Amino acid sequence: MMALPGGRHLDSIPLPGQRLHLMQVDSVQRWMEDLKLMTECECMCVLQAKPISLEEDAQGDLILAGGPSPGDPLQLLLKRGWVISTELRRIGQKLAQDRWARVHSMSVRLTCHARSMVSEYSAISKSSSQEMGQVEKLLMEKCSELSAVTERCLQAENEHVLKSMKACVSETLSTLGQHFGQLLELALTREVQALVRKIDSSDNVYTTESTTGNLFSLTQEGAPLCRIIAKEGGVVALFKVCRQDNFRCLYPQALRTLASICCVEEGVHQLEKVDGVLCLADILTDDSHSEATRAEAAAVVAQVTSPHLPFTQHLSSFLESMEEIVTALVKLCQEASSGEVFLLASAALANITFFDTMACEMLLQLNAIRVLLEACSDKQRVDTPYTRDQIVTILANMSVLEQCASDIVQENGVQLIMGMLSEKPRSGTPAEVAACERVQQKAAVTLARLSRDPDVAREAVRLNCMSRLIELCRSPSERNSSDAVLVACLAALRRLAGVCPEGLQDSDFQQLVQPRLVDSFLLCSNMEESFV
């Protein structure tokens, strides 16, 4: 989720205890502690595996695990977890190549990393549950078994024996990975529970801000951690923060964290259980909240209504507050002071138009077309293809309504849609190129739907839309060789040709309109550009 102004104003304030701690830690002492962690595995390789392999790729496989901050169990788990996961993957690769010397030395190193993680986390956390103790024991047993069996493989010369032992190594590696994943999940769950309890019980702004920041950092590690946070009450605790006036300055951060958690089904379910949609509606409709707060609330709405997530379609509580939310989002689009705020609000509106068809009628009544089209000429609000993607998505979904056509013609919307057919990336990054393709495709879809109205079709012909559509069909570079853009442009061109056939040359008509759509598609998709 993108950061907005005002969302992090407490992050830069170090607590007195933190400043004192930094002054008391000697830099040489810190270096010595880190050095121990960085060299332990290499020492163990020499002691347990005899000489280190001299193979070409041995150095490339070496992972130096820098030590986490003293007393930081989360960072320890994440760093060690990444190292061990990488080792497991690489051992699997070497096993597939029958590189037994590398498999064995890496297995020994894996054992070192696993032992380090277990001992370091036990030292920091002080106590351990019985279940964690059992999994730790199983993990270390499997690590020892893997080292022993790979050492035997080094000594085996019979190919049939090696083949049977390879299956044994593969099975051991798989079981080891399962035990490691289980241990890591138990440990992370324990740390998340501690963070959630701290947020839930704290009445101190600085403590809550720091803990919420740690929780947000965890959400950036991926969906598995978001599921753990949701299951352990993270959503409930964060909405509790968003319902307390003394924590108003923390609303943007709490909402940003909620948006990240709600990328998983468990997060959305928890949001619905605590009437989260009603809380979001209250924040969006309350003008006393800062723009940053309302923008982050819009981001949560965009997340929980995403058409790409199947579980969001069953959010029944959203329908009860939809009118209030849509009204507030249109107002936020209209008053947005930056492109980031407008992007979040328009993304929420775009997703809502997929969520329920009634939303399009609400937008029509709220004059949303005028608000969106006016914003297109404001570079401060609409300056990227990502934002135009949201706008044209809303227009495409609204264009199924008959009244929408007259409103778009009245607001000079056809000309703006024509401009979107020429959307080009500035940076050339894959994400921006994909966004431009979506803008072109949805602009063509919108034009095809609106051209049911003869007035729109005539206006499109007057603005030379047919020429641009033909160019997009015939020139792969103009559409970045996108098949989706090609199909949409062919459909729009055929709709316009039905109203104004005189705007086409005979060759265009015979190749792009007269044949079956699939034949025209095949002709254009295989077309080579002429540079003469």
Side-chain angles (χ1 to χ4, degrees), residues 55-266:
E55 293 185 37
E56 295 178 354
D57 58 344
Q59 189 64 29
D61 287 332
L62 190 61
I63 302 174
L64 297 180
S69 303
D72 188 348
L74 277 171
Q75 286 304 310
L76 185 149
L77 290 169
L78 293 173
K79 288 183 179 180
R80 287 291 188 190
W82 177 82
V83 169
I84 293 173
S85 298
T86 304
E87 289 284 13
L88 284 167
R89 177 174 55 81
R90 288 181 174 178
I91 291 173
Q93 292 172 349
K94 300 303 178 187
L95 181 63
Q97 299 167 1
D98 294 331
R99 307 281 290 281
W100 292 108
R102 298 298 306 124
V103 168
H104 177 56
S105 62
M106 293 172 73
S107 298
V108 173
R109 196 164 66 224
L110 175 67
T111 303
C112 298
H113 284 306
R115 186 182 294 115
S116 296
M117 186 182 85
V118 170
S119 61
E120 289 166 11
Y121 181 69
S122 297
I124 293 176
S125 61
K126 306 299 181 185
S127 61
S128 178
S129 67
Q130 184 178 358
E131 185 180 7
M132 279 186 66
Q134 291 173 348
V135 179
E136 286 174 4
K137 183 180 178 182
L138 290 171
L139 174 64
M140 296 316 302
E141 285 176 355
K142 280 297 172 186
C143 284
S144 299
E145 183 182 328
L146 182 66
S147 297
V149 72
T150 54
E151 187 171 16
R152 290 199 301 273
C153 289
L154 281 175
Q155 301 165 358
E157 296 179 359
N158 189 302
E159 287 188 12
H160 294 291
V161 173
L162 268 177
K163 190 173 182 181
S164 63
M165 293 182 78
K166 183 175 181 178
C168 178
V169 172
S170 181
E171 184 181 348
T172 303
L173 193 64
S174 175
T175 307
L176 191 157
Q178 291 171 9
H179 290 325
F180 165 68
Q182 188 179 359
L183 177 61
L184 189 61
E185 183 175 355
L186 286 170
L188 287 170
T189 298
R190 179 178 174 176
E191 297 306 318
V192 167
Q193 287 171 344
L195 287 176
V196 171
R197 281 197 302 269
K198 201 170 181 181
I199 293 173
D200 199 42
S201 60
S202 174
D203 56 0
N204 182 281
V205 172
Y206 298 101
T207 301
T208 306
E209 186 271 340
S210 174
T211 312
T212 305
N214 289 338
L215 207 60
F216 175 74
S217 297
L218 282 181
T219 64
Q220 304 309 294
E221 297 294 331
L225 266 166
C226 289
R227 290 190 185 93
I228 293 174
I229 294 170
K231 288 177 180 177
E232 298 306 323
V235 173
V236 178
L238 289 168
F239 269 113
K240 183 179 177 181
V241 170
C242 292
R243 288 184 166 111
Q244 297 182 59
D245 283 342
N246 57 317
F247 287 147
R248 275 200 168 210
C249 60
L250 302 183
Y251 283 10
Q253 187 184 45
L255 290 164
R256 192 179 308 124
T257 308
L258 280 165
S260 297
I261 298 171
C262 288
C263 71
V264 297
E265 187 171 3
E266 293 83 355

Side-chain angles (χ1 to χ4, degrees), residues 334 369-378 381-382 411 416:
Q334 191 169 19
I369 290 176
R370 178 178 56 79
V371 172
L372 295 172
L373 295 180
E374 283 180 357
C376 286
S377 58
D378 181 359
R381 287 185 289 168
V382 180
E411 298 295 335
L416 283 168

Side-chain angles (χ1 to χ4, degrees), residues 323-398:
E323 187 171 359
E324 289 178 321
I325 290 174
V326 168
T327 304
L329 289 171
V330 172
K331 184 179 180 183
L332 189 58
C333 284
Q334 191 169 19
E335 299 174 353
S337 63
S338 69
E340 291 173 328
V341 174
F342 186 91
L343 175 60
L344 292 174
S346 59
L349 284 175
N351 287 353
I352 292 171
T353 59
F354 286 108
F355 188 81
D356 192 89
T357 53
M358 282 180 13
C360 294
E361 296 176 5
M362 291 179 187
L363 288 171
L364 206 57
Q365 294 169 1
L366 292 167
N367 292 321
I369 290 176
R370 178 178 56 79
V371 172
L372 295 172
L373 295 180
E374 283 180 357
C376 286
S377 58
D378 181 359
K379 296 299 181 186
Q380 188 174 353
R381 287 185 289 168
V382 180
D383 60 344
T384 68
Y386 307 107
T387 310
R388 281 185 281 274
D389 182 21
Q390 308 308 322
I391 292 173
V392 75
T393 298
I394 298 169
L395 294 177
N397 287 339
M398 289 183 68

Side-chain angles (χ1 to χ4, degrees), residues 449-523:
R449 290 176 178 175
L450 292 173
S451 294
R452 297 188 309 265
D453 187 312
D455 292 337
V456 175
R458 282 191 287 270
E459 177 69 6
V461 171
R462 188 185 69 81
L463 293 169
N464 291 323
C465 279
M466 292 177 81
S467 299
R468 178 57 184 161
L469 290 169
I470 292 169
E471 186 179 19
L472 285 166
C473 291
R474 291 193 177 280
S475 176
S477 64
E478 288 295 315
R479 61 175 190 274
N480 196 42
S481 300
S482 168
D483 289 343
V485 175
L486 173 58
V487 171
C489 288
L490 284 170
L493 184 63
R494 287 165 180 243
R495 181 62 62 87
L496 289 174
V499 178
C500 302
E502 63 275 7
L504 284 173
Q505 295 181 6
D506 288 343
S507 60
D508 294 328
F509 182 81
Q510 290 169 8
Q511 293 178 352
L512 305 179
V513 177
Q514 192 175 41
R516 294 181 308 161
L517 182 63
V518 66
D519 293 331
S520 295
F521 170 80
L522 291 172
L523 173 69

